[in-house]
Amino acid sequence: EDQVTQSPEALRLQEGESSSLNCSYTVSGLRGLFWYRQDPGKGPEFLFTLYSAGEEKEKERLKATLTKKESFLHITAPKPEDSATYLCAVRGPTSGTYKYIFGTGTRLKVLA
Amino acid sequence: DVKVTQSSRYLVKRTGEKVFLECVQDMDHENMFWYRQDPGLGLRLIYFSYDVKMKEKGDIPEGYSVSREKKERFSLILESASTNQTSMYLCASSSRRSSYEQYFGPGTRLTVT
């Protein structure tokens, strides 16, 4: 069964304190791993798509990386405005062309 | 810029009422989705549609139905609302042309009393 697990559930950082969020997945034949940011009371906002092990994508203070079993979202020198829940999702052949398996997210709080 | 809009941000309904949630996207995406999001359970797929008039059940379709008469519009219907359908409802769209990245609407917080 396809599965996505995110850790930690919650993370508190001081402003400027870099860290990483983890997304572990079990999917046979990954067809895409997606990262989203979700602010309270709002819909998720698309950040990155990764397809193959070794791939990396960057956007401002965020960098996503992918291995065969997990993805990391690295946050460099975070600011309070980076506080949000970060969601990871995967697509795979057993979940179907149109379905995505989501993790439950990591709630990030960055303190000034 | 992809835009997905939902008809209401907040909705309060009584048990037994029929509830309509509407979603519109302006990027000509062929795929549209309805999810509900509950604390600790993440996003769960209710229904999705990969073409006009086509629909498929997701993981939790019981108590819901959908309608897609036009490509840009996907409606979620709660036939007889119950308190356990109190949740955040999220609509999303995607396209093969944009590598199946999902774009979400702002969500509808539905409370059933």
Side-chain angles (χ1 to χ4, degrees):
Chain A
E1 182 184 329
D2 297 345
Q3 207 163 19
V4 174
T5 303
Q6 291 188 247
S7 62
E9 285 188 19
L11 182 62
R12 290 166 71 93
L13 299 173
Q14 289 296 131
E15 184 172 4
E17 180 187 1
S18 301
S19 188
S20 297
L21 313 183
N22 177 264
C23 172
S24 297
Y25 64 92
T26 52
V27 169
S28 302
L30 183 70
R31 292 180 176 173
L33 184 141
F34 306 84
W35 281 100
Y36 295 86
R37 171 195 168 119
Q38 186 175 24
D39 292 301
K42 296 188 177 179
E45 174 191 346
F46 171 76
L47 292 174
F48 304 110
T49 309
L50 302 166
Y51 290 102
S52 54
E55 191 175 355
E56 298 183 353
K57 294 263 179 84
E58 281 190 72
K59 182 179 179 179
E60 296 180 358
R61 295 177 291 282
L62 300 177
K63 183 166 98 172
T65 62
L66 182 65
T67 73
K68 288 187 177 179
K69 293 183 178 180
E70 57 194 349
S71 176
F72 293 94
L73 186 65
H74 307 276
I75 305 178
T76 303
K79 299 182 177 181
E81 54 261 41
D82 295 322
S83 298
T85 296
Y86 291 86
L87 299 172
C88 167
V90 298
R91 281 181 67 231
T94 54
S95 57
T97 302
Y98 308 105
K99 289 179 70 174
Y100 304 70
I101 310 299
F102 279 85
T104 52
T106 293
R107 291 190 314 278
L108 174 66
K109 178 76 173 174
V110 182
L111 305 170
Chain B
D1 208 23
V2 178
K3 187 122 183 189
V4 181
T5 56
Q6 295 183 227
S7 49
S8 305
R9 291 300 310 275
Y10 301 94
L11 212 51
V12 179
K13 295 292 180 181
R14 293 194 179 274
T15 302
E17 279 193 83
K18 192 168 186 176
V19 182
F20 294 85
L21 303 181
E22 197 156 76
C23 174
V24 177
Q25 51 92 6
D26 66 357
M27 284 303 294
D28 200 36
H29 283 178
E30 64 271 21
N31 308 315
M32 295 188 75
F33 306 80
W34 276 106
Y35 293 90
R36 63 177 283 176
Q37 186 175 33
D38 301 287
L41 296 177
L43 273 79
R44 293 182 290 167
L45 182 64
I46 304 171
Y47 268 95
F48 65 97
S49 168
Y50 52 89
D51 201 351
V52 176
K53 296 193 186 295
M54 305 303 288
K55 60 187 179 186
E56 284 203 24
K57 294 180 181 179
D59 300 316
I60 51 164
E62 297 79 19
Y64 303 94
S65 62
V66 290
S67 172
R68 192 166 180 204
E69 296 296 318
K70 294 185 178 181
K71 190 174 186 179
E72 67 271 17
R73 197 176 296 266
F74 193 34
S75 301
L76 180 69
I77 302 141
L78 286 66
E79 297 291 342
S80 177
S82 64
T83 54
N84 63 12
Q85 292 179 309
T86 291
S87 186
M88 169 70 102
Y89 289 87
L90 291 161
C91 174
S93 71
S94 74
S95 173
R96 182 179 57 81
R97 291 177 281 110
S98 55
S99 303
Y100 295 107
E101 297 156 2
Q102 282 194 314
Y103 293 89
F104 285 84
T108 295
R109 172 76 63 185
L110 173 67
T111 302
V112 183
T113 62

